[in-house]
Amino acid sequence: MDSQIRSSPVAVSTSLSASGIRWDLSDLEPDADQARRDFDELLARSRDFAERRRGTIGSSGAQGLRELLDELDELTQDVSRVHFYATAREHTDAMDAETTDLATLARDRAADLESLLLFVELEWIALDDAEAEALLEADELEPYRHRLRVAREEKPYVLSEGEEQALNARRPAISAWESLHGRELATLTVEFDGGSGPEPHTIDRLLSYIHHRDRDLRLAALDVLYEALDGLADVQASCYDAVVGDRLSVDRLRGIPDAMWPTNQRNELDGEVVETMIRAIEEHYPLGRRWFVRKAEALGLDRLLLADQYAPLGGDRRVEWSEAVAMVDDSLRDFHPRLGDIFRTCLDRGHVDAEPRPGKVGGAYCNSVSKTVLPYVLMNYTDQLRDVITLAHEFGHAVHGTLSLERQSYRSYHTGLALAEVPSTFAQLLAVERLIDLEEDPATRVMLLADRAEGAMASIFRQTVMARFEMQAYAARGEGKGLTRDRLAEMWIEENERYYADSIELPEGYRLGWAYIPHFIHVRFYTYAYAFAHLIAFSLAARYREDPEQFAPAYLDFLASGASKSPRDLLAPLGVDLRDPQTWAHAFAEFDRCVVAAEEAVAELDAA
Ligand SMILES: [Zn+2]
């Protein structure tokens, strides 16, 4: 599932134009009863598959393996369809008893199905190199070749079956630390007066005030947040210490040489490429600082406090759902009619759920279900300009999923996170450019330009600060130092000061800013993928502007190629060479252009 959960900047508004824009899930399943029957049938099919195929991966020849993988591809798509039906209902109707029962069944079944089908990967990895190489050469395996090759990269680090089982058996104990971390955050509520009297506030709701116009409210919300974090920082640090310690111990047993290797492998990026990118980003931290100084002037302040970082500049206006749809349609269609067609078809078939309502999850995501079902998009449309950008972002995922599922096997359609966020960020940049060009109100243009620049800073600079913080944490833990709250606070402040320097004043309470970031617990070094995707999307946007006729068909081919090649090979036809440091310079030129545009618009508005 492609997902980007963003905290919504506004409380739920009274007049919402997207009311009634709800999913029609009938392309997935007619009802819960049929979904239950399908889960039973899938379990039976998977058992039968396992009985027939277990032990044959190395002995059935290229044609036999092809037939096995085709059958598995069908099976996993059916699992994806039924499973997403259960998830989609849970995400939009959490209060319904039938829905929660089905979601519980789906979780149990998913675990059963996974363990039944796991033998395919294990047997494939267990083949010796010569056998595997001979199979990979065969034409029959072309639709699966690249993914099969990538899977074998883990081979040197796989342990004996008994050792793997022992490692698996202590999984629940580690999950308990992860759950505790999440539960502490999810259940934390504090009394806060956001303007309509004191009310219990969750962390997400407190954080949403950083976009508020009222400075006192912004400052007060963050103060209350840090105060609340003080009570749970010891627990959060203990959870993080346990999880990082465990990961490093397992890495040592497996012989994994570098704490970033598992993430880089999943993203199919060389450690060297990632490090070169991160250094280039750090060299450009002054670009962010230049903007913060300019922003302080625009707000009439000597210097920004952390709570002012995302304070709105300029004006804002409401955007009706129908206008948002037209805007995203035009933006995609302008690039290539095929993308506009996919967008319209998804909407017409009821594959978009945009209405905010009780019992529905926050944030936004796109799920590209299978080769026979069009993607489903969930978001919470609150009539804000920012929501138009979210709609474009999610449809960047949807057109990627649709085109790549048309041409690739199911196994080969979905890329690692770093590349998966490229088409969504690119679609978002196209839509923003269009919104800026068409916006007549100068104050609203300023808001859009500032939001674009600050969004890039959040993805590129902030996420890199987080990745560097994690590197410090893994290094310290690897040297046998415990990750206490004070040690984490020191690392956190050090990395943040490298970015902000004296352009933004960090409050004392921000020492605990690491304590509410879930990524650190769930997937190590997850955050750099956002920086990567945003920079690559910037670079692609610049190339598109230079030569739209050449670029658009090559880009469609890139989308349709899915995960059938490495990111390096996928991006090369678009003129992006991941090994060339100039790639990052090119992306930063585009980033700089966005900051300059924002600075100029702010200056014009000040002068007017
Ligand atoms: Zn995304």
Side-chain angles (χ1 to χ4, degrees):
M1 196 179 293
D2 315 314
S3 69
Q4 187 171 45
I5 305 301
R6 300 162 155 210
S7 56
S8 173
V10 282
V12 172
S13 155
T14 44
S15 122
L16 293 173
S17 60
S19 78
I21 306 300
R22 296 184 180 199
W23 274 337
D24 172 354
L25 300 178
S26 60
D27 280 348
L28 300 167
E29 285 290 353
D31 54 40
D33 288 341
Q34 186 59 45
R36 287 173 174 279
R37 282 196 293 275
D38 281 355
F39 268 127
D40 290 342
E41 190 255 348
L42 282 166
L43 204 56
R45 250 170 84 195
S46 302
R47 282 206 188 98
D48 171 62
F49 174 82
E51 269 165 36
R52 280 184 292 112
R53 303 288 195 178
R54 202 187 287 276
T56 70
I57 301 283
S59 58
S60 52
Q63 183 55 34
L65 183 54
R66 167 66 186 266
E67 283 162 18
L68 181 152
L69 291 171
D70 283 348
E71 190 181 346
L72 181 62
D73 227 41
E74 291 293 323
L75 193 53
T76 46
Q77 287 179 79
D78 285 337
V79 172
S80 162
R81 177 178 53 76
V82 188
H83 194 267
F84 183 60
Y85 175 75
T87 310
R89 283 189 55 163
E90 193 185 21
H91 284 174
T92 46
D93 197 9
M95 269 93 93
D96 179 58
E98 187 185 59
T99 296
T100 39
D101 282 351
L102 184 65
T104 307
L105 178 80
R107 268 189 286 275
D108 290 350
R109 286 287 187 267
D112 296 345
L113 291 163
E114 196 190 324
S115 43
L116 272 171
L117 301 174
L118 194 64
F119 75 92
V120 177
E121 305 304 315
L122 298 180
E123 285 184 27
W124 169 248
I125 291 177
L127 294 186
D128 66 44
D129 287 349
E131 274 179 295
E133 218 28 66
L135 286 167
L136 286 169
E137 295 293 311
D139 289 342
E140 288 94 330
L141 289 169
E142 192 277 330
Y144 301 105
R145 184 176 292 142
H146 180 68
R147 298 310 308 163
L148 289 174
R149 220 182 264 287
V150 171
R152 287 185 60 83
E153 289 173 3
E154 289 175 40
K155 184 177 172 69
Y157 310 122
V158 174
L159 303 172
S160 72
E161 200 180 331
E163 289 170 312
E164 290 291 344
Q165 276 171 358
L167 284 179
N168 255 335
R170 85 238 187 273
R171 229 359 265 169
I174 297 306
S175 303
W177 288 105
E178 297 174 4
S179 307
L180 175 61
H181 187 275
R183 208 163 48 237
E184 290 286 296
L185 295 179
T187 54
L188 183 76
T189 53
V190 224
E191 286 291 304
F192 183 70
D193 185 351
S196 42
E199 281 177 280
H201 276 60
T202 61
I203 293 180
D204 279 353
R205 191 155 168 216
L206 282 174
L207 282 170
S208 72
Y209 291 105
I210 60 174
H211 296 281
H212 205 284
R213 285 194 186 275
D214 181 345
R215 188 174 201 225
D216 291 338
L217 203 54
R218 294 197 303 266
L219 289 169
L222 283 191
D223 278 349
V224 167
L225 171 67
Y226 299 142
E227 224 170 274
L229 288 176
D230 191 55
L232 55 84
D234 280 324
V235 174
Q236 301 307 82
S238 298
C239 292
Y240 191 49
D241 182 74
V243 168
V244 173
D246 176 72
R247 286 175 186 156
L248 288 170
S249 307
V250 176
D251 284 359
R252 260 195 304 278
L253 281 175
R254 294 189 182 284
I256 291 175
D258 166 13
M260 289 182 76
W261 187 87
T263 306
N264 294 344
Q265 195 266 343
R266 276 206 256 172
N267 284 325
E268 289 187 60
L269 294 172
D270 291 341
E272 211 176 303
V273 167
V274 174
E275 182 59 27
T276 305
M277 173 190 79
I278 288 182
R279 289 219 181 112
I281 293 170
E282 288 173 322
E283 277 166 26
H284 286 85
Y285 280 167
L287 177 61
R289 304 204 276 263
R290 190 180 88 202
W291 168 252
F292 296 134
V293 170
R294 187 69 197 83
K295 180 165 183 169
E297 283 168 25
L299 291 171
L301 302 167
D302 291 337
R303 178 155 79 128
L304 295 187
L305 296 175
L306 191 67
D308 303 317
Q309 183 176 205
Y310 300 108
L313 288 174
D316 202 352
R317 66 177 178 89
R318 302 189 80 77
V319 185
E320 297 271 303
W321 172 248
S322 55
E323 188 190 340
V325 167
M327 189 70 85
V328 174
D329 189 343
D330 288 348
S331 161
L332 291 168
R333 199 171 295 279
D334 220 40
F335 181 83
H336 196 286
R338 185 70 219 285
L339 303 191
D341 290 345
I342 294 170
F343 177 66
R344 279 288 169 187
T345 313
C346 284
L347 277 172
D348 292 347
R349 293 197 63 89
H351 281 226
V352 180
D353 198 302
E355 177 198 71
R357 57 189 184 274
K360 178 174 169 180
V361 293
Y365 66 75
C366 166
N367 189 318
S368 297
V369 183
S370 76
K371 288 172 80 73
T372 51
V373 179
L374 281 170
Y376 277 86
V377 165
L378 176 142
M379 66 173 297
N380 287 277
Y381 193 83
T382 58
D383 297 3
Q384 306 286 303
L385 269 164
R386 197 177 265 123
D387 299 328
V388 185
I389 297 163
T390 303
L391 181 64
H393 178 102
E394 296 311 331
F395 268 91
H397 286 307
V399 296
H400 189 202
T402 305
L403 293 177
S404 99
L405 280 165
E406 273 175 13
R407 203 194 290 171
Q408 307 303 328
S409 62
Y410 185 66
R411 175 181 287 258
S412 301
Y413 101 88
H414 194 250
T415 67
L417 180 77
L419 202 73
E421 288 300 322
V422 170
S424 51
T425 311
F426 181 74
Q428 169 187 330
L429 291 178
L430 289 184
V432 175
E433 187 85 32
R434 188 175 192 92
L435 284 169
I436 292 167
D437 287 348
L438 296 178
E439 184 56 54
E440 287 166 4
D441 173 38
T444 304
R445 277 191 82 240
V446 166
M447 187 281 275
L448 285 166
L449 285 158
D451 189 65
R452 177 173 68 177
E454 290 177 357
M457 286 169 201
S459 297
I460 296 166
F461 294 144
R462 291 277 309 142
Q463 304 292 331
T464 297
V465 166
M466 293 186 200
R468 282 294 197 216
F469 162 77
E470 279 189 279
M471 285 183 209
Q472 282 210 40
Y474 279 81
R477 193 63 175 77
E479 290 163 13
K481 293 180 189 150
L483 300 179
T484 60
R485 63 183 275 164
D486 288 340
R487 183 164 281 134
L488 290 169
E490 267 167 44
M491 295 170 180
W492 179 252
I493 290 300
E494 186 187 326
E495 292 302 338
N496 274 279
E497 280 178 346
R498 283 177 70 188
Y499 171 34
Y500 294 116
D502 50 11
S503 68
I504 286 189
E505 189 179 329
L506 304 176
E508 180 60 24
Y510 192 56
R511 292 172 58 77
L512 300 179
W514 51 271
Y516 62 85
I517 316 263
H519 292 323
F520 297 154
I521 288 288
H522 294 299
V523 186
R524 54 175 128 174
F525 304 106
Y526 184 95
T527 61
Y528 82 72
Y530 287 117
F532 173 90
H534 216 108
L535 285 172
I536 296 296
F538 265 149
S539 186
L540 297 180
R543 283 166 212 279
Y544 171 53
R545 203 172 45 243
E546 284 153 23
D547 191 352
E549 274 78 39
Q550 281 271 322
F551 185 87
Y555 186 76
L556 255 64
D557 196 59
F558 158 75
L559 294 179
S561 297
S564 62
K565 294 178 207 154
S566 70
R568 206 173 86 190
D569 292 341
L570 288 166
L571 290 168
L574 297 172
V576 174
D577 180 353
L578 285 182
R579 284 161 309 175
D580 182 358
Q582 279 308 308
T583 293
W584 310 116
H586 185 256
F588 272 105
E590 180 68 9
F591 189 175
D592 192 69
R593 190 187 75 90
C594 292
V595 178
V596 169
E599 287 167 336
E600 286 173 359
V602 168
E604 273 171 42
L605 201 66
D606 282 354

